[in-house]
Amino acid sequence: MAITDDQPDGEKPRPKPPYRLGLSGKLLLLTIPLVMIAGMLIYVPAIANFRMNRLNDRLAAANTAALVLDAAPSGMVPDSLARQILTSIGARAVAIKMGQQRRLLASADLPEAIDHDIDMRTMTAWSAIVDSFETMLESGNQSIRVVGPAPRGGQFIEVVIDELPLRKAMYRFSGNLLLVSLGIAILTAGLVYLALNYLFVRPMRRLTASLVGFHENPESSARIIVPSQRGDEIGVAERELSDMQRDLVSMLHQKSRLAALGLAVSKINHDLRNLLASSQLLSDQLASVPDPRVQRFAPKLMRSLERAIAFCQSTLSYGRAQEAAPDRRMILVEPVVAEVRESAGLASDASIGWVGAIERGLVIDADPDQLFRVLLNLVRNAAQALESRPKSEAGALQIRITGRREGSVAIIEVSDTGPGVAPDARERLFEAFQTSGRPGGSGLGLAIAAELVRAHGGDIHLVEGTIGATFRVSIPDRPVELQSVRNERAMA
C-alpha cells in the first residue's frame, strides 16, 4: 500500500559536463590581459615622453654648443672643431636666430632636404604620442629639424639631427620598458590572483563542495555548511545556504518518520481490521441481549467499532495525498460534543472539569465523522495538557467547549486551563510531528485536525491572550444555489 507520493524507481546519474577551466583559471586568464592593457596604457605616454626628452637633450646640447660657437670671432672656429662639436651633440647643423638675423653656427654633411620639422615650443601631448609612433614605424635615416628656445635672448635655435639614432634609442627603451612591464605585470597578476583566489574563489569552492556533498546525502546533518563570519554577499550566501540545508534536513527527517509510520501502520492494518470486524460481529450479538444495561451501551459500542474500522481503513490517508472529501450535511453540534466527551473518557473523570456552552439547537454544515475527529483531537490535547498540572490544582483543571454561529459561519472553541503553548512551538503548530510542547503528544493530532478543517473550507487557529490554550474552529456553510432551493420549494 502506497503511503507517500509516487517516486521514480531509480534516478539516472546526471551526465558530467565537459571539463572546462575552473574559476581560478578563468580568473588568471582575465587578470593577465587586464594587467597587459594597463602596461600598454603606461607605455604610450612613456615612449612619447622619452622622445621629447631625447629631443630636449639635443636642444640643450645645441644651446651649449651655440654659446661656444657664438663666443668665438666669426670664422675663427676651425672646421675640425666644429665637426667635433656637432658629433658630440649628435647633430649635423646648429643655427640660431637673433632678431632679424638667422645665423648658421656650424654644419657638417647637411642633407639635401629636411624630412620633418619639430617645434618643441608648440608640442602638445597628443602630437607627441602620434609623432613618436610615426618615428618608430618609419624606415631609413630621415633628417629632422628640431626648433626650440634660444639662449641669451635669441628667438629660437635650430638643430638638424638624424632620425635613425633616435629610432634605435626608442626601440631600446621600448625593449627595456617591456621587460620591466612584463615583470611588474607577472608580479601584479600573481598578487591579484592570490588575493582574489583567497577572498572569492576559495569561498565559492567551499560553497560548491557543500552543495555537491549535500546532494549526495541530503539527510546527513554533517553535510551542512558551517557559515563563516563574513559580512559581505558571500557570508550572506553561506548563512542562507546553511539555513536552507537545515530546513531541508528537517523536512526529510519528517518525511522519513511519516514513511516509517505508514509502513508500521500498513503492517498492522490488515490484522487490526479483521479483529475489529470480529468485535463488530460480537457487538451485533450483544444487541440481541435483553438486558437493559446492555441495550443502553450496545449502540454506543457498535458506533465506536464502526468508527474504529473507518479510522483503520483511512489511517494511511495522511501519508498519502490527502484525506477523503468530507460528506457534509447539516448536523447538530451538541450530540457530537457529547460523544467526544465520552470517547475521551472525561464523562467519568471527576478530576477534570467539563464545561459545555453550546448554543441550543446549533447546527453546522460538516461531515459528522470528520468533525468528531477534529474535536476529539483537540479535547485529547487539552486533557494531556491538564495531566501535566500538579494534583493539588485539581479544582482548577477544566476543559471548556463553546459553540455559536456568526452569520453563515459556525464557530467552536476548545479551551483548557493548562500551561498553554510554548512560544517557540506556535509557528509550526499545525505541521506534522511538531508538538505543542506538551508531554505525551505525538505531533499528528493538530495536523490532522487542521487538514480536516481546511477540507471544509474553514480555519483553525490558536487564540491569543487566553488562560491555557484555546483553539478556535470556524466552518462556513456551503453556498446554496438559489434555483435548487426554488425547485425544492416548488416540489414541496
Side-chain angles (χ1 to χ4, degrees), residues 135-383:
T135 300
M136 295 184 67
L137 294 176
E138 287 180 353
S139 59
N141 187 18
Q142 288 83 10
S143 58
I144 304 174
R145 180 172 59 194
V146 183
V147 180
R152 296 196 305 177
Q155 292 186 359
F156 59 83
I157 189 172
E158 298 174 314
V159 57
V160 179
I161 62 175
D162 293 330
E163 189 181 46
L164 183 59
L166 176 62
R167 187 182 304 120
K168 290 182 178 180
M170 293 176 68
Y171 282 149
R172 287 193 301 271
F173 174 79
S174 299
N176 295 333
L177 183 61
L178 177 62
L179 293 177
V180 174
S181 300
L182 184 60
I184 295 176
I186 294 175
L187 179 61
T188 305
L191 294 176
V192 171
Y193 170 78
L194 292 177
L196 295 180
N197 185 72
Y198 178 77
L199 292 176
F200 300 107
V201 177
R202 287 181 58 187
M204 290 302 298
R205 284 179 177 174
R206 184 166 173 262
L207 286 173
T208 304
S210 177
L211 289 172
V212 173
F214 189 77
H215 177 264
E216 295 175 353
N217 188 6
E219 295 186 5
S220 175
S221 301
R223 300 299 180 96
I224 298 176
I225 187 173
V226 179
S228 62
Q229 301 299 322
R230 297 179 58 149
D232 54 6
E233 289 79 0
I234 293 181
V236 174
E238 290 177 346
R239 289 188 288 273
E240 292 297 327
L241 176 61
S242 178
D243 294 340
M244 182 188 67
Q245 289 176 336
R246 292 183 186 279
D247 293 342
L248 186 56
V249 168
S250 178
M251 292 173 60
L252 291 176
H253 286 173
Q254 292 181 12
K255 183 177 179 181
S256 300
R257 293 177 64 185
L258 281 174
L261 175 64
L263 180 61
V265 173
S266 65
K267 291 180 180 180
I268 66 174
N269 181 59
H270 183 268
D271 294 337
L272 180 60
R273 186 170 49 193
N274 292 337
L275 293 174
L276 290 175
S278 300
S279 300
Q280 188 178 30
L281 293 177
L282 295 176
S283 65
D284 292 339
Q285 296 178 6
L286 287 176
S288 60
V289 176
D291 191 310
R293 296 180 62 186
V294 174
Q295 290 295 325
R296 184 161 59 93
F297 289 109
K300 296 181 180 179
L301 178 60
M302 293 177 60
R303 178 59 178 163
S304 298
L305 289 174
E306 290 175 358
R307 186 176 287 116
I309 293 175
F311 285 175
C312 185
Q313 291 176 346
S314 62
T315 300
L316 297 179
S317 62
Y318 188 82
R320 289 154 66 183
Q322 58 183 0
E323 290 279 355
D327 182 15
R328 302 180 65 173
R329 54 184 180 271
M330 301 300 293
I331 59 173
L332 290 172
V333 176
E334 289 180 317
V336 178
V337 173
E339 193 173 2
V340 167
R341 182 184 181 187
E342 292 181 358
S343 298
L346 299 176
S348 58
D349 189 355
S351 62
I352 298 178
W354 177 273
V355 178
I358 306 296
E359 289 183 357
R360 186 178 299 276
L362 176 63
V363 294
I364 186 171
D365 185 10
D367 185 317
D369 290 334
Q370 293 190 3
L371 179 62
F372 174 85
R373 292 173 62 187
V374 171
L375 297 180
L376 183 61
N377 281 320
L378 295 178
V379 170
R380 283 179 174 171
N381 279 355

Side-chain angles (χ1 to χ4, degrees), residues 21-225:
L21 281 177
L23 198 58
S24 299
K26 293 179 180 179
L27 179 61
L28 183 61
L29 293 181
L30 179 63
T31 304
I32 292 177
L34 290 178
V35 174
M36 293 180 64
I37 292 174
M40 289 298 298
L41 295 178
I42 296 174
Y43 170 76
V44 171
I47 191 66
N49 184 65
F50 174 80
R51 179 174 176 271
M52 290 184 63
N53 291 336
R54 191 83 173 186
L55 296 177
N56 285 326
D57 290 343
R58 292 292 175 269
L59 288 175
N63 284 329
T64 303
L67 293 175
V68 174
L69 295 173
D70 188 53
S74 177
M76 294 301 294
V77 178
D79 291 341
S80 60
L81 179 59
R83 288 179 178 274
Q84 290 179 2
I85 294 175
L86 293 176
T87 303
S88 65
I89 65 175
R92 289 193 178 190
V94 175
I96 188 172
K97 184 176 183 182
M98 305 288 292
Q100 298 298 324
Q101 183 181 5
R102 187 174 183 182
R103 180 182 173 190
L104 181 64
L105 298 178
S107 64
D109 301 329
L110 283 174
E112 297 179 358
I114 301 298
D115 298 309
H116 300 290
D117 286 325
I118 301 176
D119 193 345
M120 301 299 294
R121 298 171 298 175
T122 59
M123 180 71 67
T124 62
W126 177 251
S127 61
I129 294 174
V130 174
D131 292 346
S132 298
F133 285 96
E134 287 181 353
T135 300
M136 295 184 67
L137 294 176
E138 287 180 353
S139 59
N141 187 18
Q142 288 83 10
S143 58
I144 304 174
R145 180 172 59 194
V146 183
V147 180
R152 296 196 305 177
Q155 292 186 359
F156 59 83
I157 189 172
E158 298 174 314
V159 57
V160 179
I161 62 175
D162 293 330
E163 189 181 46
L164 183 59
L166 176 62
R167 187 182 304 120
K168 290 182 178 180
M170 293 176 68
Y171 282 149
R172 287 193 301 271
F173 174 79
S174 299
N176 295 333
L177 183 61
L178 177 62
L179 293 177
V180 174
S181 300
L182 184 60
I184 295 176
I186 294 175
L187 179 61
T188 305
L191 294 176
V192 171
Y193 170 78
L194 292 177
L196 295 180
N197 185 72
Y198 178 77
L199 292 176
F200 300 107
V201 177
R202 287 181 58 187
M204 290 302 298
R205 284 179 177 174
R206 184 166 173 262
L207 286 173
T208 304
S210 177
L211 289 172
V212 173
F214 189 77
H215 177 264
E216 295 175 353
N217 188 6
E219 295 186 5
S220 175
S221 301
R223 300 299 180 96
I224 298 176
I225 187 173

Side-chain angles (χ1 to χ4, degrees), residues 461-477:
H461 64 275
L462 178 68
V463 180
E464 301 290 343
T466 61
I467 299 176
T470 300
F471 289 92
R472 178 177 296 169
V473 177
S474 304
I475 298 180
D477 297 340

